[in-house]
Amino acid sequence: MRFGLFVPQGWRMDLVGIPPQQQWGAMLDVARHADAEEGWTSVWVYDHVHTVPEPSEEACHEAWTLMAALAATTGRVRLGQMCTCMSYRAPTYLAKVAATVDVISGGRVDMGIGAGWYEHEWRAYGYGFPGAGERLARLREGVDIFRQMWTTGSATLDGEHYQVDGAMCFPRPLQGSTEGFGGSPGNGIPVWVAGGGERNTLRIAAEYADATNFDGSPEGFRHKSAVLAEHCADVGRDPGEIVRSANYNVVVGRDAGEVEERLSAVSERYRRAGLSEEAARGQAESLRTQPLVGTPEQVAETLRGLEALGMTYAITYFPEAAFDTSGIELFESEVIPALGG
């Protein structure tokens, strides 16, 4: 099994109390920690501009700016976003940005892409909020544009939502165009289609994706995998060609008492961000029910069960990462080795 690590970028109010001039340093410290530890394959960011669980004046750093910064300041780990919202940027522009970051990073970019869901920030930023059908149609057309630009250097598409006439992408990404840099045979930069929509999203994944990212619970993962396999059969593709991943909130402690301490710290940080007592406590309680909450032995056992279902890439988020890396270090020393990492 491979493991990715989200950096704390503020979206989940995980930089509360850190002065703005120190926030990049806090993010970079986590990324460089992962870069130095062979157990981590990748580091990841979220593509959001307003905080959750509610919009606030707390910091929320922009994803592709961070991608460029991480490309220049790390040297081994792959770099991804889970996931970029197609409609926040024109797909031609986004393809160009990703290609540039791939060159800066030495061929380490993974493109996580989805249709988008956070209605408040869509409307606040003037993007409207089209229906799910339109958002998914934009996703399909945009991925087609990516593939053309990265594999041939230009794209032309007379689509319902995007009209592109010879949009050029030079330099092309190193992946897929330069000897020794690997990449995706079909896409150049590997494409991760995120989301579990069974009629459209997983169909798009079957057609285009190098990897998917959907429900990480055992029951949900099993079901979404079966739906993906059905779509692959329809389009004549081997589902084994597609990496199946999931995102996980991790709260790991040496014993139950340490787990509780970490959950209490989450509540306290949300209170400091201005959430009500009830809302702050609710955030911690929602974490308590997640699959990867418990001792290292419990977390490893859950992951082994998921691996048996075909989940071979876990992308992890540690709520306390900007302040305390002991949970990450415990995961590195006791969980990753138990999964063969």
Side-chain angles (χ1 to χ4, degrees):
M1 183 175 291
R2 287 174 286 175
F3 295 93
L5 179 64
F6 279 103
V7 300
Q9 70 187 85
W11 178 56
R12 300 177 69 174
M13 298 186 175
D14 45 19
L15 295 173
V16 172
I18 298 176
Q21 67 271 23
Q22 297 176 17
Q23 290 173 356
W24 164 240
M27 291 183 274
L28 182 57
D29 284 348
V30 173
R32 283 182 165 164
H33 178 98
D35 203 33
E37 294 290 334
E38 292 291 332
W40 299 108
T41 300
S42 53
V43 297
W44 297 78
V45 296
Y46 297 104
D47 185 26
H48 287 289
V49 291
H50 284 184
T51 58
V52 288
E54 58 189 49
S56 74
E57 295 183 4
E58 293 293 335
C60 181
H61 293 270
E62 197 276 326
W64 278 95
T65 309
L66 291 179
M67 286 285 290
L70 292 168
T73 52
T74 60
R76 181 189 63 84
V77 286
R78 296 191 62 81
L79 307 171
Q81 345 69 50
M82 197 56 71
C83 63
T84 297
C85 176
M86 181 63 79
S87 296
Y88 284 3
R89 307 160 189 85
T92 44
Y93 173 75
L94 183 54
K96 180 68 174 180
V97 169
T100 299
V101 176
D102 197 61
V103 171
I104 294 169
S105 70
R108 293 185 286 128
V109 168
D110 285 316
M111 170 58 83
I113 194 71
W117 61 271
Y118 194 1
E119 181 176 356
H120 182 279
E121 66 183 12
W122 276 73
R123 295 193 183 281
Y125 268 61
Y127 301 140
F129 191 64
E134 180 176 335
R135 283 180 279 135
L136 287 161
R138 292 183 186 184
L139 174 62
R140 178 185 293 280
E141 291 182 13
V143 172
D144 190 349
I145 290 167
F146 292 170
R147 172 174 283 187
Q148 292 185 54
M149 291 183 71
W150 294 336
T151 61
T152 72
S154 68
T156 296
L157 180 73
D158 184 15
E160 180 181 0
H161 302 287
Y162 299 117
Q163 292 78 46
V164 178
D165 185 12
M168 299 176 70
C169 186
F170 294 99
R172 284 167 54 194
L174 296 180
Q175 295 182 93
S177 70
T178 305
E179 185 176 354
F181 287 92
S184 164
N187 296 315
I189 292 175
V191 170
W192 299 55
V193 173
E198 296 181 9
R199 187 164 65 91
N200 291 305
T201 304
L202 293 179
R203 180 74 174 201
I204 295 169
E207 295 179 67
Y208 292 97
D210 298 290
T212 54
N213 186 268
F214 47 64
D215 189 338
S217 68
E219 301 79 9
F221 187 87
R222 182 187 293 108
H223 176 68
K224 300 297 183 184
S225 295
V227 175
L228 177 65
E230 291 174 1
H231 285 303
C232 285
D234 288 343
V235 302
R237 188 171 182 198
D238 178 1
E241 296 176 358
I242 303 173
V243 173
R244 284 171 287 156
S245 75
N247 298 344
Y248 293 98
N249 301 312
V250 182
V251 182
V252 62
R254 295 192 178 278
D255 52 36
E258 190 169 56
V259 172
E260 288 301 318
E261 289 175 7
R262 295 192 189 281
L263 290 169
S264 295
V266 170
S267 292
E268 177 57 28
R269 189 163 57 254
Y270 279 113
R271 280 191 287 269
R272 291 171 62 195
L275 269 66
S276 68
E277 176 67 29
E278 180 180 3
R281 188 168 56 250
Q283 289 299 305
E285 289 305 308
S286 69
L287 281 177
R288 189 189 302 279
T289 65
Q290 300 295 303
L292 301 193
V293 175
T295 63
E297 296 77 13
Q298 291 169 328
V299 170
E301 181 180 2
T302 298
L303 284 169
R304 279 192 289 268
L306 286 157
E307 186 176 37
L309 297 174
M311 196 286 293
T312 59
Y313 205 133
I315 304 176
T316 61
Y317 170 77
F318 292 77
E320 74 281 3
F323 308 91
D324 176 11
T325 60
S326 62
I328 294 174
E329 292 161 5
L330 183 61
F331 192 90
E332 291 165 352
S333 65
E334 298 195 24
V335 177
I336 293 179
L339 274 295

